[in-house]
Structures are given as C-alpha cells and as structure tokens.
Amino acid sequence: MKKNIIAMNASIMIGLGSILAAPSVYAESISDLEKQKESIQEKRSGVESNISDTEKKIDSLQDKQMTAEDQIAAIEAKIAESAKKIDAKNAEITQTKKEIEALKEEIKVLKERIAKRNEVLKERALSFQETGGDVNYLEVLFGSSSFGDLVDRVGAVATIAEADRDILKQHELDKKDLEEKQKAVETKLASLEVAKAELLKIQKQQKQQKQEKDALVKKLKQQTEKHEHEKMGLEEEKANLAAQEKAIKSAISLEHQRLAELEAARKKAAAEAKKRAEQEAAQAAAQAAAQAASQASESKKQSTSSGYSAKSNSSSSSSPASSNVSQAPAVSSGTFTRPSAGYVSSTMGERWNKQHAGIDIAASGTVPIVAAADGVVSRSYFSSSYGNVIFVTHSIGGQQWTTVYAHLSSRQASEGAVVAKGQQIGIMGNTGHSYGQHLHFELHKGPWNYSKSNAVNPLNYIPN
C-alpha cells in the first residue's frame, strides 16, 4: 500500500495519470524536472537582481527627495528673509512719504514766503520804474539839509539797497533749497520703490523655485511609491518562484522514489520468475523420474496422476472515494478541468485600464473549488490583492504550468500538498480586492511572475 501511494503521488506530481498503466507514455524524466528547476532558479536570480535594482532606484529617489526638501527649506528661509526686507522697505517708503508730506508743508511755507517777497520786489521794481531807479537815491541824497542829514540819508540808502540784495539772495537760496529737498525726497522715494520692486521680483522668483521644488518632490514621491509597489510585486514573484522550486524538488524526490520502487519491483519480479523456473525444472525432473520408474516396473500397473496447482491471484480494484462535494463540476477528460461551477462573469483582457490576467467564475452559495489538473501546491496564503489564494504547479508533457485560485473564503490545501485533478482545494469567496463572490482563475504557461507575462486564456484550455 505504501509503495502504491508513493507511485500515485509521483504520478500526480508530474501529471502522469497512472504510472503502472503506461509509464513509458506518461512518465516525466528527472532530466526534464531538473531543467525546470534550473529555469526557476535562473528566474529567481533575475527577480532578485530586479529587486536589488528597484531598491537602488528607491534609495536614489529618496536621496533626491531629501535634497529637494532641504532646498525647499532653504528657499523658504530666503522667502522669509525677502519678506522681512520688503517689510523694511515698506516701512522706509511709509516714512519717506511722511517726510514728503512734512516737506510739502515746508514747501507751502516757503512758497508763501517767496510770494510775499515777490510782492515786495514788485513794489521795488515799480518804484524804480516810476522814479528812474538810481535817480530816486540821488534825490534822497541831494535833498539832505545838512551834512549829518546827508550821512543819515546815505546810510539809509545803503541799508535799503542791502535789504533789497538780501531779499533777492534769500529768495534764490529758498528756491534752491526747495528744489534740492524736492529732488532728494523724490530720489529717495524712487530708490525705495526700485529696491522694493527688486525684492518683490526676487521673492517671486523664490516662490517660483519653491513651486518647482514642490512639484519635484511630489513627482519623486509618486515615483518612489511606484517602485515600492513594483518591489512588493517582485518580492511576491520571488516567493512564488521559491515555492515552485520547492515543488519541483519535491517532484524530483518523488520521481527518484518512484524509480526506486519500479527497480525494486523489477528485481522482485525477476527473482520470482527465476524461482518459478527452478520449481518448474525440479517438477519436470521429478515427473521424468516417475515415468522411468513406471516403465521399469512392468508388474506394477498404476497410473500416476500429477496435479498441477495453479495459483489464483485475486486483485481488488478500488475506486477513488468520491467526496460529497456540492455543485462541483464533473472532471473532464482534457488536460485541465473546470475549477468551479458557475458562470464566467469576466473574461481575460483589458479591464479598468489594467490587464485582467484570468477569468472570473461567479456563483452563489457554498461553491467548492477544485484543482484544474494534477500538481503540487506551491503557495497557499492570504494576499492583499488575491485574498485567500492557492498556487498549484503542474508538469505536463515536459511543460511547466501554474494555476491560480484567488478570493477564496477558505483554503483546504497547504503548501507542498500533492493534489489530484478535480480534488477540492477551497471554497469560493469574496476576500482581497474583490467585488462579490467569485473565483478569479489564472492559467500560466510556465511560472507565475509579477508582470503575468506567461498568462494564457483559461477558456482555451478548460470546458466552458
């Protein structure tokens, strides 16, 4: 019984059917399995290299992000400094405008003073016009009654002339002072406005730089998230390849056991054949001796009957116990059988701007999920996207296949388990990234990978 189980497990593992029935037709060679193992190991090495490259990209992006964030902090400090300078310029402009207002008051006073002087000067000019200018001074001098009066009149004339000159001089000084003050404050105000405009320009440039850096940081974060998601997928692919490699190694081990059992059976059959030949030879010799003895003794007439006993072997055939599985589809005769009852609610192809790498089979109630072909469970775990999921590795005709059964409500096959075609491995569910109860079924010609490049349309291989 133990030998039969080992042989059956080996046949299930490598998709042979019955080893004892036709091993030359169905048996997979160890060489083929070794090649599959080497192929998986190479792919694992490639995935590990991709993970390393992705980690380097993530580190580089994070370094760039940190540098950009440091630059943003520096720019923000410069923007704050520019704001302080602008505030200071605004304060100076406000103070200068106050000075301008005060100067306007001074200018108003000066203008009034100049206006009064203009009136005095106009009167002087009118007097000069009416009297002939200097003649008026001569009349004043010649009209003196005495020398003392003359002296007084000369002093008075000199004083008046000096006063006129002072008025004109002060008038010119006031006008010049007014012009200089106006020019000074106007120059100062213009300079402040220019400085403020320059600071505003610098601040605008700084804000533009900050916007560009903010956009860069956002882009770097998006790229980092993309590579981190890619890394997670690659790590999942690595885990699946490791599980498939383990399954292939198990298949190789079982194949060695199968070959050992076959060799032992061959030796046993040869020994039994030899033993039967010896027994038959001994029996023939005994019969010949008996016949000779009968012929030698004429007086003794007796017939000798030789009994030849034939062994009857009874064989019992056992049919696989059928489990009471409700709504389970009938096992088809093709390479792959339908994994679940229900209707195909979604086919393989583009869906929601993403590639739907399998088909969805929907049904209500408690719906059993069965293995699509003989194989080994390479993974049985809970995934954030697949939910409860089982991966089964198959080796059929020298070709490796992988089937995926996702969104299960429960899993009934653990990693490393040998499963037969049509054997129940779970119950249909709605776990992971799923909308409504259904089975998401994928078929890969080769190992499963993150990009799902080996996925083929299951409807081309299973009964509809």
Side-chain angles (χ1 to χ4, degrees):
M1 176 63 71
K2 181 179 178 182
K3 295 176 182 179
N4 291 337
I5 292 173
I6 293 174
M8 183 186 71
N9 285 345
S11 67
I12 291 173
M13 173 83 69
I14 58 179
L16 300 178
S18 172
I19 296 174
L20 299 177
S24 62
V25 176
Y26 296 102
E28 292 281 346
S29 70
I30 293 177
S31 176
D32 288 338
L33 293 171
E34 288 287 355
K35 287 178 181 178
Q36 291 181 20
K37 184 183 74 171
E38 290 173 2
S39 175
I40 291 173
Q41 288 173 339
E42 288 177 3
K43 288 173 182 175
R44 274 189 69 188
S45 177
V47 170
E48 288 172 352
S49 177
N50 290 337
I51 290 173
S52 177
D53 291 342
T54 303
E55 287 175 343
K56 290 177 182 177
K57 289 178 182 177
I58 291 172
D59 291 340
S60 176
L61 288 169
Q62 288 177 341
D63 289 342
K64 289 179 181 178
Q65 184 177 325
M66 290 178 63
T67 301
E69 288 172 349
D70 290 341
Q71 291 173 346
I72 288 172
I75 291 171
E76 286 175 344
K78 290 180 180 179
I79 290 173
E81 184 65 24
S82 296
K84 288 181 181 179
K85 290 180 180 179
I86 290 170
D87 291 340
K89 290 300 176 185
N90 284 329
E92 287 186 56
I93 289 171
T94 300
Q95 181 60 34
T96 302
K97 288 181 177 179
K98 289 180 180 178
E99 292 175 6
I100 290 173
E101 291 299 323
L103 184 58
K104 285 180 180 178
E105 292 298 323
E106 292 182 21
I107 290 171
K108 183 178 179 182
V109 173
L110 284 173
K111 284 183 177 179
E112 291 176 355
R113 191 182 304 163
I114 289 170
K116 288 180 181 179
R117 289 191 189 120
N118 283 336
E119 290 298 324
V120 173
L121 292 173
K122 284 179 183 178
E123 290 176 0
R124 289 276 190 261
L126 182 59
S127 173
F128 290 162
Q129 230 175 10
E130 292 175 349
T131 60
D134 290 339
V135 177
N136 185 31
Y137 291 112
L138 292 174
E139 288 180 353
V140 172
L141 294 174
F142 290 144
S144 57
S145 59
S146 64
F147 181 74
D149 186 27
L150 176 63
V151 172
D152 291 337
R153 289 188 181 225
V154 169
V157 169
T159 299
I160 292 169
E162 183 66 26
D164 289 343
R165 284 194 296 273
D166 288 342
I167 289 172
L168 289 171
K169 184 177 180 181
Q170 188 61 44
H171 187 61
E172 292 298 326
L173 289 173
D174 286 344
K175 286 177 68 177
K176 184 178 180 182
D177 184 52
L178 176 62
E179 291 172 355
E180 288 176 353
K181 284 184 177 181
Q182 282 183 324
K183 185 176 180 180
V185 293
E186 288 172 356
T187 301
K188 181 178 180 182
L189 182 60
S191 175
L192 290 172
E193 292 290 354
V194 169
K196 178 183 174 181
E198 185 64 26
L199 286 171
L200 289 172
K201 181 179 178 181
I202 292 172
Q203 190 182 54
K204 183 179 179 180
Q205 292 173 346
Q206 291 168 343
K207 288 181 178 179
Q208 180 65 29
Q209 289 174 354
K210 184 179 180 298
Q211 289 178 353
E212 291 173 356
K213 293 297 180 182
D214 286 338
L216 175 61
V217 168
K218 183 179 179 181
K219 182 179 179 181
L220 291 171
K221 285 182 178 179
Q222 290 174 343
Q223 290 178 342
T224 301
E225 289 175 359
K226 176 185 175 183
H227 286 303
E228 286 176 344
H229 183 71
E230 181 181 348
K231 179 186 173 185
M232 289 175 62
L234 289 170
E235 287 175 342
E236 186 171 5
E237 181 178 348
K238 176 184 174 182
N240 276 306
L241 287 171
Q244 289 177 2
E245 182 182 351
K246 183 178 179 182
I248 294 295
K249 287 179 179 179
S250 177
I252 292 172
S253 177
L254 287 176
E255 179 68 1
H256 278 295
Q257 291 180 20
R258 183 185 73 84
L259 293 175
E261 292 294 331
L262 288 175
E263 179 63 17
R266 186 190 65 78
K267 288 181 178 180
K268 181 178 179 182
E272 289 177 350
K274 180 180 180 181
K275 184 177 179 181
R276 282 197 300 271
E278 291 174 350
Q279 288 176 347
E280 289 174 355
Q283 186 178 14
Q287 288 177 350
Q291 289 177 357
S294 177
Q295 291 175 358
S297 178
E298 294 179 355
S299 62
K300 186 177 180 179
K301 294 182 179 179
Q302 92 183 47
S303 64
T304 303
S305 64
S306 61
Y308 184 85
S309 62
K311 296 181 180 179
S312 62
N313 296 323
S314 62
S315 61
S316 61
S317 60
S318 61
S319 60
S322 59
S323 59
N324 184 16
V325 179
S326 175
Q327 300 180 15
V331 179
S332 64
S333 59
T335 303
F336 296 98
T337 192
R338 190 181 177 89
S340 165
Y343 67 96
V344 177
S345 59
S346 182
T347 57
M348 182 175 178
E350 188 77 15
R351 189 177 74 172
W352 302 331
N353 296 323
K354 292 179 68 178
Q355 179 66 15
H356 188 231
I359 62 172
D360 293 343
I361 302 175
S364 59
T366 303
V367 184
I369 306 301
V370 301
D374 299 341
V376 177
V377 176
S378 53
R379 291 208 75 187
S380 178
Y381 71 113
F382 184 86
S383 163
S384 59
S385 56
Y386 280 137
N388 280 314
V389 61
I390 292 175
F391 288 70
V392 179
T393 298
H394 315 272
S395 181
I396 303 171
Q399 173 65 53
Q400 181 186 348
W401 297 81
T402 306
T403 50
V404 180
Y405 312 78
H407 308 314
L408 306 179
S409 64
S410 64
R411 292 174 279 117
Q412 298 173 1
S414 57
E415 292 185 8
V418 178
V419 294
K421 182 180 181 181
Q423 178 182 335
Q424 183 172 342
I425 57 176
I427 300 293
M428 185 183 291
N430 187 28
T431 58
H433 191 203
S434 169
Y435 301 96
Q437 177 172 296
H438 70 282
L439 167 69
H440 175 74
F441 177 70
E442 294 178 11
L443 178 61
H444 300 261
K445 193 172 184 180
W448 181 96
N449 57 53
Y450 174 65
S451 62
K452 301 183 181 179
S453 59
N454 292 332
V456 295
N457 190 347
L459 295 178
N460 295 333
Y461 295 87
I462 66 171
N464 294 332

